[in-house]
Structure formats: C-alpha cells, structure tokens
Amino acid sequence: VILTFFVSLLQMKSALFYLRGRAFEALENRQKAAQWYQKAVVADVHCFEVYLCTALAFLYKYPYFF
C-alpha cells in the first residue's frame, strides 16, 4: 500500500512538471520548457508525453537537423 502511494505521488509530480513545461512552451519559452520536461523525466521515466514533447522541442530548436 505504501509503495503504491509513493508511485502515484511520483506520477503526480511528473505530471505537474510536464504541465509546467507545456505552459512555458505555450509562452514560447522553450528553454524553460525543456528544463521542466527534463525534471518530469527524472521524476517518472515511464511518462510518454514528456518524451514526445522533448522530441518536439528538439525539432523546434534544430529544424535543419533532419
């Protein structure tokens, strides 16, 4: 029971970091958004949305890379 509570707490923390990243991305501050996405990945490595947004932020930063 305690382990389940701890895991859900980490997922909630990751979700909040992810939402902060999305907010900064909406404000077109992609550097801060990338920092919050990074924190979200550290909090929960299974959060797929964070990986997707990190990849999109990379593509916005380096559009000529691909």
Side-chain angles (χ1 to χ4, degrees):
V1 175
I2 294 173
L3 183 62
T4 305
F5 175 74
F6 183 69
V7 169
S8 65
L9 192 63
L10 285 177
Q11 289 173 341
M12 188 183 321
K13 187 177 179 181
S14 174
L16 288 174
F17 290 161
Y18 166 72
L19 288 175
R20 283 186 180 183
R22 293 290 294 180
F24 277 112
E25 193 170 354
L27 294 171
E28 295 185 7
N29 190 344
R30 291 191 176 89
Q31 184 178 9
K32 284 233 181 203
Q35 290 173 352
W36 284 107
Y37 290 149
Q38 214 172 19
K39 290 180 182 185
V41 168
V42 169
D44 182 15
V45 296
H46 299 292
C47 189
F48 174 75
E49 293 88 2
V50 176
Y51 288 113
L52 181 63
C53 288
T54 305
L56 289 175
F58 179 79
L59 287 176
Y60 288 140
K61 188 173 181 179
Y62 302 108
Y64 53 86
F65 189 74
F66 291 100

